[in-house]
Amino acid sequence: MELAYYSDYAVRLVNTEEPARNKDSLTSVEAVRDLFGAASQMARRVTDADVTRFRSVRARLRAVFTAADEGDHTGAVDLLNSLLLEFPVSPQISGHDYLDEEGRPRWHMHLADHPSNATAGYAAIAAMGLAFHLTEFGADRLGLCQAAPCRNAYLDTSTNRSRRYCSDRCATRANVAAYRARKRQEAALEAREALEAERTGLTAEKSQESTTPADR
């Protein structure tokens, strides 16, 4: 079973919304179909009603990532379990896309399209993929981008659990912002030190001027 492929369903859906920027690209049937990809049979069954249903599932998936990102791993699991119970999967053995050197199918597990509706099918795949990822790699591998205002979801596949950003673009932006912040702090510190040195010098001059010839 392609764990990374199925867990990415959850990431793609969550990232159709950018709450901090008040942006939402999940506004039409076409946008919902794009989440499935062109090859999915279920995409052709999307209706107007699925737009609202997808948004509801999106909010619940974001809650899973939020809990995991905040260190509430038990909460993340509980939220994910509720999705798994509501949207059960239908596994199948498949070999239609993979052939070995002798032309025989390479059998593998596949999540079948849900018979109910497009939302149920997508939610089942996304929740199961995320569940496999969480149990295989840990809840701390589910995160939200730390480059404000972006809060896109991501799956940490780094070897040392060091990922903090959803993309290289956000990582670069955050690093540049941090560099500029350090430079501002250094400049402010230098300015304070220069001002203090100036004040110290003026105090010393006044002290010398106030002394009498006899004192000298």
Side-chain angles (χ1 to χ4, degrees):
M1 187 174 289
E2 296 292 335
L3 302 184
Y5 175 78
Y6 285 123
S7 58
D8 193 52
Y9 271 60
V11 174
R12 290 205 305 269
L13 177 53
V14 171
N15 291 346
T16 59
E17 182 184 30
E18 298 181 71
R21 294 189 174 106
N22 197 29
K23 292 183 178 180
D24 187 349
S25 63
L26 197 61
T27 58
S28 66
V29 169
E30 289 71 23
V32 173
R33 286 174 177 161
D34 287 342
L35 289 170
F36 284 96
S40 175
Q41 295 288 335
M42 187 64 69
R44 289 191 278 272
R45 297 170 56 186
V46 175
T47 67
D48 289 332
D50 285 302
V51 177
T52 300
R53 289 195 290 253
F54 260 69
R55 287 179 174 178
S56 176
V57 172
R58 178 181 64 188
R60 295 171 67 182
L61 286 170
R62 176 171 283 278
V64 175
F65 278 94
T66 299
D69 187 68
E70 294 175 349
D72 182 9
H73 297 170
T74 300
V77 170
D78 288 343
L79 291 167
L80 189 51
N81 273 335
S82 69
L83 283 165
L84 291 169
L85 288 172
E86 185 173 344
F87 302 106
V89 298
S90 302
Q92 289 181 337
I93 299 175
S94 176
H96 55 83
D97 291 327
Y98 304 97
L99 301 178
D100 61 20
E101 295 178 354
E102 298 180 5
R104 295 175 301 188
R106 293 181 177 176
W107 302 114
H108 61 279
M109 292 301 297
H110 172 77
L111 299 184
D113 288 338
H114 203 281
S116 177
N117 57 64
T119 301
Y122 194 99
I125 292 172
M128 181 56 70
L130 205 56
F132 273 120
H133 192 94
L134 186 150
T135 54
E136 181 71 16
F137 302 108
D140 58 344
R141 293 288 188 155
L142 279 60
L144 294 174
C145 186
Q146 300 301 302
C150 179
R151 293 293 282 166
N152 276 353
Y154 65 83
L155 298 172
D156 185 2
T157 56
S158 63
T159 56
N160 57 355
R161 301 174 185 266
S162 61
R163 185 171 178 178
R164 295 294 179 270
Y165 307 103
C166 67
S167 64
D168 290 340
R169 179 181 179 183
C170 275
T172 299
R173 183 162 55 83
N175 289 334
V176 170
Y179 172 79
R180 290 175 176 172
R182 287 196 302 271
K183 287 299 182 182
R184 287 194 297 270
Q185 291 176 348
E186 291 172 1
L189 178 60
E190 290 175 357
R192 286 196 299 269
E193 290 176 345
L195 180 59
E196 185 63 28
E198 183 179 353
R199 288 174 178 172
T200 301
L202 289 174
T203 301
E205 289 179 5
K206 289 181 179 179
S207 177
Q208 291 178 355
E209 292 174 355
S210 65
T211 58
T212 64
D215 291 334
R216 297 175 183 172

